[in-house]
């Protein structure tokens, strides 16, 4: 990811392939703040009913918290190690261009791969459900946290999958119960998985020895899209994220 700091902003070393211009900072303490998760997950709260389940009486407090977060000079970065490389979740605080970027990088690669962008012009999804849970549960050291619930919620907005298993709602509810203060985690988990963000769920497939790809209209991992990753980059991304 390049140079980052522990809460003291310095110009970060550039990550090849990522155009972020901010000073990156590590703020793992944010993961212990329930208000952080409300803003981080808000793009998955589709409709007033689901939004009310997520925010409850904390809407104004969450809004104030995230105004402060987006006003920081440093861009908070969270890292999750995967089978080959690391996923980086970057809270982009550029003036007039606030959002969250989901990147995959390996030291041997010539560039980081942007898997998803969660903002007013959402691009993705970038992760299938098996890839999401594999990253959350691998227990690998060297990231922002080894807590599987935090990892699951960090990466959730980059996920979209029509084939989530029956146990997914229980798994997500447990993470919401552990990391947030929402009143009905089971009901909220079911609603979030039904809607799955701004573009909804997509289908994933593997043909022969090829990489895992999606059919999402806005996904970088759908080879039919004109902006998709090239064939060799699709292969290395799928290999790095392999469940």
């Amino acid at each position: 990811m390049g140079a980052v700091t522990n809460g003291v902003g310095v110009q970060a070393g550039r990550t090849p392939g990522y155009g972020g211009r901010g000073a990156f900072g590590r703020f793992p303490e944010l993961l212990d703040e329930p208000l952080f998760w409300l803003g981080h997950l808000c793009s998955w709260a589709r409709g007033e009913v689901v939004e009310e389940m997520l925010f409850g009486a904390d809407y104004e407090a969450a809004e104030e918290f995230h105004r402060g977060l987006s006003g920081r000079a440093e861009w908070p970065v969270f890292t999750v190690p995967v089978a080959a490389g690391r996923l980086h979740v970057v809270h982009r605080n550029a003036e007039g261009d606030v959002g969250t970027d989901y990147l995959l990088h390996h030291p041997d690669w010539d560039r980081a791969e942007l898997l998803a962008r969660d903002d007013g012009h959402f691009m993705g999804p970038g992760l299938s459900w098996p890839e999401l849970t594999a990253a959350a549960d691998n227990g690998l050291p060297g990231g922002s946290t080894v807590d599987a619930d935090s990892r699951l919620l960090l990466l959730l907005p980059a996920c979209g999958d029509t084939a989530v298993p029956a146990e997914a709602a229980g798994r997500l509810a447990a993470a919401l119960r552990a990391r947030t203060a929402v009143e009905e985690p089971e009901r909220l988990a079911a609603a979030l998985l039904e809607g799955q963000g701004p573009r909804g769920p997509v289908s994933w497939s593997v043909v022969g020895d090829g990489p895992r790809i999606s059919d999402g209209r806005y996904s970088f991992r759908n080879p039919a899209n004109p902006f998709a990753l090239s064939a060799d980059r699709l292969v290395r991304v799928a290999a790095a994220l392999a469940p």
Side-chain angles (χ1 to χ4, degrees):
M1 186 67 204
V4 290
T5 65
N6 290 315
V8 180
V10 297
Q11 187 64 27
R14 297 272 61 81
T15 296
Y18 181 59
R21 299 177 181 275
F24 302 121
R26 290 193 181 100
F27 300 97
E29 67 275 10
L30 290 173
L31 305 181
D32 294 322
E33 172 53 67
L35 292 175
F36 168 79
W37 294 112
L38 303 188
H40 184 74
L41 299 173
C42 69
S43 68
W44 262 46
R46 301 179 66 189
E48 292 183 8
V49 173
V50 184
E51 188 174 287
E52 175 64 24
M53 282 192 281
L54 176 64
F55 288 98
D58 292 326
Y59 186 90
E60 291 185 1
E63 191 174 50
E64 182 178 352
F65 178 87
H66 278 273
R67 274 199 300 268
L69 184 65
S70 62
R72 294 186 183 214
E74 307 89 1
W75 295 10
V77 178
F78 307 96
T79 300
V80 178
V82 292
R86 295 186 176 198
L87 284 162
H88 299 290
V89 181
V90 182
H91 276 254
R92 176 174 15 95
N93 288 342
E95 185 175 355
D97 187 25
V98 173
T100 306
D101 296 325
Y102 294 82
L103 310 167
L104 177 64
H105 191 232
H106 187 282
D108 294 337
W109 295 359
D110 59 343
R111 60 184 297 156
E113 302 295 1
L114 179 63
L115 300 184
R117 189 179 71 210
D118 190 9
D119 54 22
H121 304 281
F122 179 86
M123 296 294 291
L127 298 171
S128 66
W129 181 262
E131 291 168 338
L132 167 65
T133 54
D137 295 340
N138 63 36
L140 293 172
S144 300
T145 178
V146 295
D147 179 68
D149 292 327
S150 294
R151 288 182 171 190
L152 185 80
L153 296 183
L154 268 176
L155 300 175
L156 185 68
C159 178
D161 198 331
T162 58
V164 292
E167 63 269 19
R171 174 66 196 281
L172 179 54
L176 291 169
R177 188 181 304 108
R179 308 309 302 166
T180 77
V182 300
E183 294 183 358
E184 299 180 277
E186 290 81 7
R187 184 171 171 232
L188 176 59
L192 293 176
L193 289 173
E194 181 179 0
Q196 294 194 32
R199 306 301 182 191
V202 303
S203 296
W204 295 85
S205 61
V206 177
V207 179
D209 295 329
R212 187 187 301 262
I213 58 174
S214 86
D215 66 355
R217 290 179 57 195
Y218 303 93
S219 175
F220 298 109
R221 296 180 66 187
N222 178 358
N225 290 330
F227 50 81
L229 301 177
S230 60
D232 59 324
R233 291 159 65 195
L234 286 170
V235 168
R236 73 181 187 182
V237 164
L241 296 172

